[in-house]
Amino acid sequence: MTTLIEQFISESRELLQKVTDALVAYEQSPTDQQLLNEIFRVIHTMKGNSGLFEFPEMTKVLHAGEDLLDALRAGHLPYSHEMADVLLEATDFVVLLTDEIEQQGTIPAHRAQTASEITTRLIALNTHAYPQAAPIAGGPANASADTADNDSPPPELLAQWQRVPPAMRASLAPALAAGQCQWLDYQPEAECFFKGEDPFYLMQQCPEVAWFAVDYVQPNDASMADSVTTDADASALTAQDDPLWDPYQCGLRFMAISSAHIDDVRAHFRYVPEQVSITAMPAEAWKVAAPVSAADVTGKVDDSDAREALRAVALTLLKTQVQVLEQPIEAACFAGVCQAVATTVQNVCMAQQQPDCIAPLAQALASTLSVGEPQPLMLYVAGIYQQWQAAQASTDQVTEAPMTLGANEAEHNKAQVRTDEAHTAKTLKVDQDKIDRLMNLIGEMVVAKNSLPYLADRAENQYGVRELSREIKNQYSVINRIAEEMQQSIMQIRMMPVSFIFQRFPRLVRDTCRKLGKEVNLVLEGEFTEADKLVIEALADPLIHIVRNSLDHGIELPAVRLNKGKPAAGQLLIRASQQTDSVLIEIQDDGKGIDPEVIKRKALEKGLITEAAMQRMTDQQAVNLVFAAGFSTAEVVSDLSGRGVGMDVVRSAIERINGKVTLDSSVDQGTTLRLVLPLSMAITNVIVIESHQQQFGIPMDLVMETVRIAPQDIRQIKQSRAALLRDRIVPLLSLNQLLGLDAPQQLNEQGEVATLVVKINHEYIGLMVDSFKATVDIILKPLPAVLAGMKWYSGSALMGDGSVLMVLNPKELVE
Amino acid sequence: MITFEAQCARLAEVVGIEEASTLLDWLQAHPQGQLDLSDCTHIHAANLQVLMVKRPTIAALPNHDGLRSWISAALPPQVAA
């Protein structure tokens, strides 16, 4: 893929996103002329860009879109939801094409059909520029149907078929029987000359044309097409006497039979698919022809075209013969080979109707055989080859002239793009892999740097060099500072604004509301809040799910809302904000809210909770039941939500990136979901603890405090132990017990037990360990393969001294 | 390129779209005018439809094989009025 195309693709993506956003925004405020201008400008740019490449499908759709927008811009047409639908669909189609260009480097042939459908719809809406658009849309020139499977040939085709001379019909019979013939009916639009088109040239260049005809119909009159045989002359006659007849209104109609593959023919006409109808000719068509006499076949056939087509084959054959003679030939086979070559050349000459060549050929063969050297024959065959080739070249040269002109123009456009590039290349686009590699390297650097304190300790304790130890520590603090700064800058590179996800919402909300018949005002806030790329990417799906849920279950239908005394249009607020080391995302709707009683009843029905648990449950706890697996309150399963893969998926997705979800809801007031996400997932801060002579890490974000509890403060309640800490009863659990280690926790000199107070699901739990070590920044690596199933570990990390630290997942451990 | 003589217009090489109106004007001014296409290799579709509508007498068909066959198909010989 060339750099230019890559540039085109990346630029198109940006522009397309801009268009989608702007289209949705414009639907909200149809008076915003500036917004409309912006959309028009972007579409116009894209159309221009796409024109640099061979992507006519894209250019056509964009062109029709541009026309429609232009009419809107000039105030000729009012904006409607239907227009928005078609324009958005067209945008989606262009996105699809962009994807395909990126993946395959080209647009598949069948897209031309969709492209012309969308174009037709865009044109149909543009009643200002194309007042007669609607009838044309249904006209015969547009029905580019592939009737290969159709048994009976269309009557129109049969009528035209009668114009094909009987001799031609007979010669086409074999190709027809094999189903290789395409019937072409090309009726250029009246204004085509003003678009720089030359339909005559296009038609002449059509591959493998066996028969053709040209008629003068009448410009812009598609209805005439049906009865063209009778009316063609009449039209020409009317025009002949009309002193005001305009030669620049195209009224031509071309018909042809091509034996090229239907896809090749389509590809040839791909700039004008809606003006040409390509029909695979049914094998039956030739049977309709009158019986042909032998005299017809031999008598009147003008086979100069066929001869033309065969010229290339003839040249190849001659070249091969020369090559045969150039090879060393065994004496025994010499006469036979020369004879065979001469026969082939003779047949070629006959086929090309060059009987003059035959006599000299025989002479050359005779002298070759008499001298026993292939030269005379070879020289003669090579002579014919060169002669014919020169003749071929001179005809080709002429037809190439207009092509060169086009190439110059393209070159000019390219040059223009190059100058544009110079203006835009301010930001550096870097491959994500490179950033990831940098991230990994800085991770290793952090780990390596952490080994210096160990070294300092060893210098002091093992070798007794205090001075050196202090110097190492000094150096360490310098390296530490640089490493931390570096880490932060690299993390900055990976930071992305949440607008990356937010920008999809206007479209999502619009489409969903159109589908559900609801009215919603979407408010986005804090779009420029940044978080790590991985966090942002992982957030996309859950967030979309939440928004859909709000629209589907939360916000009521306009009538229901009015009954409740709320405005008909609901409000959906999505707000992002940055907190110290996390990002808070709130999704708030003013819909019907979640009724805790309904949730409780549902949960009981589904056996998620017991009757007793239901009685004890607070409203807040009940509302949070929506996060339980297999919970869905939707009465009807729609295609939007309510399939039971609900909020539990959202919660686990958010927790996977170390985020938290909370939900507040009150009946008829609305629902607020809060997502708290880490800024970055790369570096984790853990506290290292020791239990049964093993070290473990525990994520710091769960740890509330570390305390040492005296034995007398521990209360035994049946099998469990608890302690009163800060006026709160905290259940105590032994880490050894949880890990299945058969040893009691060790106490310190004062007989106190080291306890880590962690907060899990809004509850405080005391984890008793042997001793606390230090807190460290680590790069948490998930456990590989089978080990990944051990949920009570979050992963492992490499420590500065080279040891491996297992990081516990207290949530799983406690449950 | 078109060269106009007293009663004959010679079309040579590629005849572009701009020349269609000139050709039309000439044919309207010279209803009996003849056309010599022998050195012509391509005519723009606009010229083609001028010829199809005005039906001038073709004195010489193009030597160019491809164009000759198309012109013969578009302008079947007529009995001169």
Side-chain angles (χ1 to χ4, degrees), chain A residues 30-48:
Chain A
T31 47
D32 192 340
Q33 193 68 19
Q34 211 167 355
L35 208 54
L36 189 59
N37 284 336
E38 167 75 16
I39 303 173
F40 174 79
R41 215 167 28 238
V42 172
I43 293 281
H44 178 74
T45 311
M46 279 210 62
K47 186 197 79 172

Side-chain angles (χ1 to χ4, degrees), chain A residues 4 44 70 158 220 257 336 356 380 413 597 608 618 653 665 739:
Chain A
L4 195 62
H44 178 74
D70 200 29
L158 286 182
N220 220 353
I257 297 173
D356 304 346
Y380 181 70
N413 286 343
E597 292 309 315
L608 294 169
T618 64
S665 183
L739 290 173

